[in-house]
């Protein structure tokens, strides 16, 4: 496909490099004609586009992404990117050429990488776009522009759809760790407070998290696992009920028998006979 090159509605070359972490080289705004397309390949800098209206496609790393208003897309350093405005609803975007040692990590926290070059905001798309437009208005003020870019990055990190995914992934990690902890420590006098403390979490938060993920309360899961292990031990008739109780975390055999009967509807001795 032939790449059509046209002028931008607004374009400024600024080369702001005084900051140690964040550089801004170029900025602009373009209200595209239908099917307007462009191809980028730049070194030692990254290009971020904020789509404020319309839609189009991004092609990068042999993959094509549909991008629409209130999203952003990334052209990584030394990676060829092609993008094209929609034929019926062409996009308008603001773009920045940026760089600096901390930029890749900042964008990664927001979920923008070569593998995931499209950004979606959950809450603050309007604020991000207003800040981007504010930079264009004050393009002569280096520190104002850099400071505002930091604000944009903060909004992007805090409201990224990728953050919600990370939270969900972290939640699953916590659940797996709880289950591993119980399976390792079930023979000891476990307390929920101890589990929460070992994970660095608040007890009530962990309890809610576990219930939502598994359908069990922590106490229910612990009891169920202990009863499961107790039944396995009781298959060996040389092990007494008292020994079984102690092996699954009950120092008092009577308490174990009551818990066992509530769970199975039979006492340990009745269960073993049957």
């Amino acid at each position: 496909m032939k790449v059509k090159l046209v002028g931008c509605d607004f374009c400024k070359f600024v080369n702001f490099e005084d900051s140690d972490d964040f550089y801004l080289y170029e900025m602009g705004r373009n209200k595209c004609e239908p099917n307007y397309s462009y191809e980028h390949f730049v070194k030692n800098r990254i290009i971020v586009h904020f789509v404020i209206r319309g839609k189009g496609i991004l092609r990068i790393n042999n993959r094509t992404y549909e991008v629409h208003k209130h999203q952003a897309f990334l052209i990584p350093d030394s990676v060829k990117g092609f993008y094209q405005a929609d034929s019926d609803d062409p996009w308008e975007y603001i773009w920045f050429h940026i760089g600096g040692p901390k930029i890749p990590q900042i964008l990664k926290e927001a979920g923008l990488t070569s593998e995931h070059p499209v950004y979606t905001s959950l809450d603050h798309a309007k604020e991000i776009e207003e800040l981007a437009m504010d930079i264009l208005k004050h393009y002569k003020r280096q520190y104002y522009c850099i400071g505002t870019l930091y604000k944009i990055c903060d909004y992007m990190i805090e409201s990224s759809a990728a953050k919600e995914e990370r939270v969900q992934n972290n939640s699953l990690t916590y659940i797996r760790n709880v289950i591993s902890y119980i399976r390792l420590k079930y023979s000891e006098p476990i307390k929920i407070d101890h589990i929460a403390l070992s994970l660095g979490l608040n007890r009530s938060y962990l309890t809610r998290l576990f219930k939502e993920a598994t359908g069990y309360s922590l106490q229910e899961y612990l009891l169920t696992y202990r009863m499961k292990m107790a039944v396995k031990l009781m298959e060996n008739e040389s092990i007494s009920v008292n020994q079984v109780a102690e092996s699954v975390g009950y120092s008092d055999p009577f308490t174990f028998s009551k818990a066992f009967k509530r769970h199975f509807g039979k006492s340990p001795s009745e269960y073993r006979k049957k």
Side-chain angles (χ1 to χ4, degrees):
M1 181 181 294
K2 185 177 180 181
V3 177
K4 180 185 177 185
L5 299 175
V6 299
C8 295
D9 300 312
F10 179 92
C11 180
K12 295 295 177 183
F13 302 92
V14 292
N15 288 330
F16 294 152
E17 293 185 314
D18 286 356
S19 169
D20 291 334
D21 303 324
F22 207 141
Y23 310 148
L24 175 60
Y25 301 105
E26 191 178 320
M27 65 181 79
R29 179 172 180 172
N30 197 4
K31 185 176 182 180
C32 299
E33 297 293 329
N35 295 318
Y36 165 76
S37 61
Y38 202 76
E39 191 170 57
H40 266 302
F41 181 84
V42 293
K43 292 186 176 182
N44 303 318
R45 61 183 63 185
I46 291 167
I47 311 173
V48 180
H49 294 69
F50 297 94
V51 181
I52 54 180
R53 58 181 56 88
K55 59 185 178 180
I57 62 163
L58 166 69
R59 191 171 299 132
I60 194 169
N61 293 328
N62 297 316
R63 294 185 63 183
T64 300
Y65 303 84
E66 294 183 358
V67 188
H68 55 74
K69 67 178 180 178
H70 306 324
Q71 288 186 311
F73 63 91
L74 174 74
I75 307 294
D77 174 25
S78 302
V79 175
K80 184 180 290 187
F82 171 86
Y83 47 95
Q84 183 175 35
D86 187 70
S87 58
D88 298 319
D89 187 16
W91 53 20
E92 180 178 355
Y93 52 70
I94 296 171
W95 47 266
F96 298 102
H97 283 221
I98 56 178
K102 285 193 175 180
I103 292 304
Q105 181 58 38
I106 290 172
L107 294 178
K108 185 177 180 180
E109 287 186 50
L112 266 177
T113 64
S114 296
E115 294 74 28
H116 302 283
V118 179
Y119 169 86
T120 302
S121 174
L122 293 176
D123 303 305
H124 298 295
K126 282 292 185 182
E127 289 89 342
I128 291 171
E129 290 161 16
E130 286 171 3
L131 288 169
M133 287 187 277
D134 196 43
I135 292 175
L136 301 186
K137 292 176 185 177
H138 299 91
Y139 69 91
K140 294 181 179 179
R141 300 167 60 183
Q142 175 173 188
Y143 300 112
Y144 185 93
C145 291
I146 296 298
T148 306
L149 277 169
Y150 271 116
K151 288 182 181 179
I152 289 175
C153 290
D154 181 69
Y155 269 127
M156 289 178 70
I157 291 169
E158 288 304 307
S159 67
S160 172
K163 181 180 179 181
E164 184 175 83
E165 184 178 335
R166 288 197 302 274
V167 169
Q168 291 172 347
N169 289 340
N170 287 341
S171 298
L172 292 175
T173 299
Y174 287 137
I175 301 308
R176 286 193 290 267
N177 287 342
V178 169
I179 291 172
S180 296
Y181 185 98
I182 287 174
R183 292 181 176 183
L184 182 66
K185 300 277 192 178
Y186 73 91
S187 60
E188 302 175 18
I190 296 177
K191 292 185 178 180
I192 305 305
D193 287 337
H194 292 166
I195 299 176
L197 184 63
S198 72
L199 297 174
L201 298 177
N202 175 273
R203 172 185 171 137
S204 59
Y205 173 72
L206 178 61
T207 301
R208 177 175 59 80
L209 204 64
F210 195 85
K211 178 76 172 178
E212 289 175 355
T214 67
Y216 289 92
S217 70
L218 276 166
Q219 291 286 10
E220 288 169 342
Y221 185 85
L222 175 59
L223 172 67
T224 299
Y225 191 75
R226 280 175 164 166
M227 293 301 112
K228 175 183 175 182
M229 300 309 293
V231 167
K232 286 186 176 182
L233 290 169
M234 287 174 62
E235 291 174 1
N236 185 344
E237 294 186 1
S238 65
I239 302 175
S240 69
V241 171
N242 287 4
Q243 289 174 317
V244 171
E246 187 175 355
S247 297
V248 296
Y250 289 87
S251 57
D252 179 12
F254 180 69
T255 303
F256 167 71
S257 294
K258 284 175 60 179
F260 192 95
K261 189 168 185 177
R262 280 198 304 270
H263 192 75
F264 290 109
K266 297 180 177 63
S267 69
S269 55
E270 290 172 335
Y271 190 96
R272 174 172 265 176
K273 287 178 183 177
K274 189 163 186 176

